[in-house]
Amino acid sequence: MHAYRTHHCCQLTKADVGQTVRLSGWVFRVRDYGKLLFVDLRDHFGVTQVVIDKDSDALQIVQAVRVESVLKVDGKVVARSGDQVNPNLPTGEIEVRAESVEVLSAAAELPMPIAGTAEYPEEIRLKNRFLDLRREKLHSNIVLRSKVIASLRRRMIDQGFTEFQTPILTASSPEGARDFLVPSRLHHGKFYALPQAPQMFKQLLMVAGFDRYFQIAPCFRDEDARADRSPGEFYQLDFEMSFVTQDDVFAAIEPVLYGVFEEFANGRNVTPPPFQRITYKDSMLKYGSDKPDLRNPIEISDVTEIFRGGGFGVFAKAIEEGSIVRAIPAPGAGTKARSFFDGMNQWAKDEGFAGLAYINFKAGVGGGIAKNLGPERVAQLVEQMKLGPDDGVFFACAKKDVAAKLAGAARTRIGQDLDLIEKNTFRFCWIVDFPMYEWDEVEQKVMFSHNPFSMPQGEMHALETMNPLDILAYQYDIVCNGIELSSGAIRNHKPEIMYRAFEIAGYDRSVVDEKFSGMINAFRYGAPPHGGSAPGVDRIVMLLADEPNIREVILFPMNQRAEDLMMGAPSNVSPRQLRELGIRIVSEEKPS
RNA sequence: GGGGCCGUAGCUCAAUCGGUUAGAGCACCGGCCUGUCACGCCGGAGGUUGCGGGUUCGAAUCCCGUCGGCCUCGCCA
């Protein structure tokens, strides 16, 4: 007989009755009757009930240990009769009558319970992650993650992609996120950087002729955390393809994403390919965001012209000064109490905006600012927005970017408040035609809006002739349920266009030669047109596991301040280590 | 760096307007119990109310400061 087990804890059925078996696992729950005792023995696979009575020496042993101790149980499989069957357990038709029990590892009193579904403070959970991971939900999330990654790999390989590993210790790059730096021992004063993404390496793989590459790639960015953004590190399904257009990239990845979502959808709907394509400009207008949640049916309209010179003075004046007005319909909300509308206005103010004006229609008669606006313009509004007789409508008036942002946030909030968000559905879309450049208000200069390696639409001709802020890029994001899964691009593979593109953003030729020498040099020797993308693996799993926080799908996540509470990272290092690296720590001066 | 919410027993929570010795469930320790599956019953132990200061006859409660956690803005090519 095996030293620890003949079966796992989700294996035995009626067919095994009469067998002598050996199980090992954790004490999940104990029900002790003094002269009779039940143990739910748990392992990775499931739970089996072990029963011990007074005839067994095991009784005292088990009575002496706490839950979560590890036991090895030898016993006989017996059938449960009638009302003793537990229909909630795959092994519920049998139990193991223990003949002997060995304590493999006794557990101390726990800082947090394993059984049950109660919520616990993040700090305790992270400090005791090995315990948290025993709990059913987190345990199954992590297993799901593994299955999703296996499925992605299989689907990518089936599509003709080849997986390669790219370096972790690489060079720091300008632009983009803050790098994590690693000091060099052999070159004092010089640093490696951990890759923010294997961007240049994957492009070099295309230059090297590998045609289709992918990798479940670890990426490192030293930026602050969010609920859907782990601090420090995350994983992407990084891929790149040669001799492709934007449509070829979409056609390659859509079936992979659709397939993996379908595989783990568990009855939820997945929008089939081809996914809807929305231009960046349209998305900012209709959804007030470049990552729209299409489960929300609300669409925003521009109604600047209806308010221009109208009776609602605040807006009319603002429009003269260059503001715009965006209208967010609230279907069926017209009959809601005034507190709903005032509450939205207050919310907008709390978020730092000027506020939200509104009209509430009751049986076609408009309240709110309808009187100020006048019947003719209200009628125009109803016509343009196709408003129903009992709809509400909110108005965001501000400079273009701010108005779009407020309208987008209001759209999300109204959708939630009115319970309009479609349930059990994954809605994918592509956001395309991102602008190549944007105006940086702080630096007062033109800068890359997304990826500097994207090919501008119109190539050199566009760079030479157009206003930089009007140039679009072959740059695209894939979005699911309001979460940005990835951004990608058809790359700029022509050195001359690259130099010119960087020049517009204020980097001269020597900067490109120095910072991107590996890539720009490679492009001089024959580079295929290529493009790709990199969907976030953690976010895919987060969506499939229906978890609102990315920590719930990561084995050992850091907290918001980028600390690993279990391992104690980051930590001090020895003076000797610092000496070797030629590093001296400058104590942080507190501002007085 | 800014804003918001939170911090009471190992865990989840309670404590009326500032008023008796800060309570309950789970967990823990002891006892009883032969068919439970969130077992049940009896008893016990467990508290610097995050920390520091202030107001008050009296502070978990009010004020100031500080620390920590989460969410968010900035940031994330």
Side-chain angles (χ1 to χ4, degrees), chain A residues 372-550:
Chain A
N372 313 57
L373 198 56
E376 210 167 291
R377 289 169 189 256
V378 170
Q380 254 182 293
L381 185 75
V382 170
E383 161 77 18
Q384 183 187 325
M385 297 186 67
K386 306 203 169 18
L387 294 171
D390 289 310
D391 284 354
V393 55
F394 290 92
F395 304 101
C397 176
K399 292 278 158 35
K400 191 174 174 184
D401 289 355
V402 177
K405 199 173 163 190
L406 170 56
R411 171 181 178 268
T412 300
R413 190 174 169 91
I414 293 166
Q416 285 165 355
D417 282 4
L418 299 180
D419 198 24
L420 301 174
I421 314 291
E422 194 180 356
K423 293 180 180 63
N424 300 316
T425 295
F426 296 109
R427 283 206 177 271
F428 284 94
C429 63
W430 291 101
I431 307 299
V432 300
D433 298 343
F434 276 85
M436 185 79 191
Y437 300 100
E438 63 191 17
W439 182 253
D440 187 325
E441 285 292 341
V442 181
E443 307 268 330
Q444 287 289 304
K445 72 176 196 65
V446 169
M447 60 180 283
F448 289 109
S449 74
H450 280 73
N451 189 323
F453 307 116
S454 302
M455 181 64 95
Q457 295 184 20
E459 303 197 2
M460 191 61 113
H461 183 72
L463 296 181
E464 296 287 5
T465 59
M466 290 175 68
N467 176 348
L469 298 177
D470 291 334
I471 300 172
L472 301 178
Y474 287 113
Q475 163 89 38
Y476 39 82
D477 282 1
I478 188 157
V479 175
C480 180
N481 292 3
I483 291 191
E484 180 190 318
L485 283 186
S486 74
S487 63
I490 297 299
R491 319 297 175 186
N492 183 348
H493 68 284
K494 298 179 179 171
E496 288 315 309
I497 300 179
M498 185 89 81
Y499 286 127
R500 180 73 188 121
F502 273 87
E503 192 185 329
I504 290 172
Y507 299 94
D508 68 30
R509 210 176 171 99
S510 63
V511 175
V512 180
D513 281 337
E514 187 194 342
K515 291 297 181 183
F516 308 108
S517 62
M519 202 161 67
I520 202 88
N521 191 39
F523 287 171
R524 293 169 54 220
Y525 299 107
H530 59 285
S533 181
V537 170
D538 311 83
R539 287 183 178 172
I540 290 173
V541 180
M542 187 178 157
L543 282 165
L544 288 169
D546 197 23
E547 290 286 0
N549 194 295
I550 204 157

Side-chain angles (χ1 to χ4, degrees), chain A residues 293-306:
Chain A
D293 186 350
L294 296 183
R295 294 172 305 166
N296 183 342
I298 295 173
E299 287 192 7
I300 299 162
S301 301
D302 189 289
V303 294
T304 308
E305 293 315 313
I306 292 176

